[in-house]
Amino acid sequence: MQQLVNDILDFNKIEAGKLDIHPVEVNLKQLLVNATLPFYNPVEEKNLKLIVNIDPELDITVLIDDVRLIQILNNLISNALKFTEKGFIKLDVVCDRIDELIIEVGFSVEDTGIGIEKEHQKKIFESFWQVYDKNTRNLIGTGLGLTICIRLLELMNSSLELVSEKGAGSTFSFDLTLTRSENPEAHIEGPAHDNEDL
């Protein structure tokens, strides 16, 4: 219920043009590692494997809205977990280009879940559209998570892409161009947790 309330509040802010991006200085690799930590236990409880691949070149300080990036990744990984009963969930984050001023980063969340039928792939990005599970006869999710991801990415000059096949899993991906910080010491407090598979 709390997640539903938060999603609706964020959606209303976005629709009213009152949600802004607030970049701060953070170590990108550390941010990504910390973002995945809450998922290891629920993934293990479903007997799945969580694979986290973070490009070593991302161990740098950048300007980014860390709260909103974590929100996007949380939505994507949570969806993957929700619709995957066997196999794996994988977060891949790669450095596509880097120079003294900027870094271009590619993000993808892949799962081996139920996949999405071709005719539904555009609908899932619509506000309040939900996936129907014929096995449980239930509508799953709030129908807002992906819409919020799309709107946040638009504020970051990016977009969300989907590759999926019914019964063969899904991959959501996006790219961000980030400004490198002149402060190499910026970091996020959190437990050390290098790339690993469960």
Side-chain angles (χ1 to χ4, degrees), residues 9 17 26 38 40 62 90 114 150-151 154 173 180 191-192:
L9 289 174
V26 296
Y40 281 90
V62 298
K90 180 166 66 172
I114 61 175
I150 290 171
R151 300 301 175 84
E154 286 175 351
S173 61
R180 296 185 62 176

Side-chain angles (χ1 to χ4, degrees), residues 7-119:
D7 283 350
I8 291 174
L9 289 174
D10 277 344
F11 180 75
N12 287 338
K13 287 180 183 178
I14 292 170
E15 290 298 287
K18 295 182 178 180
L19 194 152
D20 298 317
I21 297 299
H22 300 284
V24 296
E25 292 182 329
V26 296
N27 179 281
L28 184 55
K29 179 181 178 181
Q30 190 173 2
L31 171 66
L32 295 168
V33 168
N34 290 350
T36 63
L37 291 179
F39 292 99
Y40 281 90
N41 284 340
V43 165
E44 188 174 23
E45 287 170 2
K46 291 187 71 173
N47 293 316
L48 301 172
K49 177 181 285 189
L50 178 59
I51 304 169
V52 179
N53 294 326
I54 302 174
D55 194 320
E57 286 196 272
L58 301 183
D59 190 12
I60 62 171
T61 304
V62 298
L63 289 169
I64 190 169
D65 189 324
D66 55 337
V67 173
R68 295 308 177 185
L69 178 59
I70 288 176
Q71 184 176 7
I72 292 167
L73 294 176
N74 280 351
N75 272 320
L76 295 179
I77 298 174
S78 293
N79 275 350
L81 180 60
K82 189 183 303 178
F83 297 112
T84 303
E85 297 301 326
K86 61 181 180 179
F88 65 84
I89 296 166
K90 180 166 66 172
L91 171 66
D92 266 319
V93 191
V94 299
C95 173
D96 292 326
R97 187 173 76 88
I98 187 171
D99 60 33
E100 293 182 357
L101 300 177
I102 66 167
I103 180 169
E104 295 178 359
V105 186
F107 300 78
S108 69
V109 176
E110 178 185 357
D111 66 62
T112 53
I114 61 175
I116 304 165
E117 295 175 349
K118 295 293 184 183
E119 60 267 29

Side-chain angles (χ1 to χ4, degrees), residues 106-135:
F107 300 78
S108 69
V109 176
E110 178 185 357
D111 66 62
T112 53
I114 61 175
I116 304 165
E117 295 175 349
K118 295 293 184 183
E119 60 267 29
H120 290 161
Q121 290 184 16
K122 290 185 178 180
K123 292 181 180 179
I124 66 167
F125 295 114
E126 297 174 3
S127 304
F128 297 102
W129 195 88
Q130 296 169 278
V131 173
Y132 178 74
D133 187 337
K134 65 181 179 181
N135 296 318

Side-chain angles (χ1 to χ4, degrees), residues 96 105-107 153 156-159 173-177:
D96 292 326
V105 186
F107 300 78
L153 286 169
M156 298 178 181
N157 299 313
S158 185
S159 60
S173 61
F174 61 94
D175 300 311
L176 292 177
T177 299

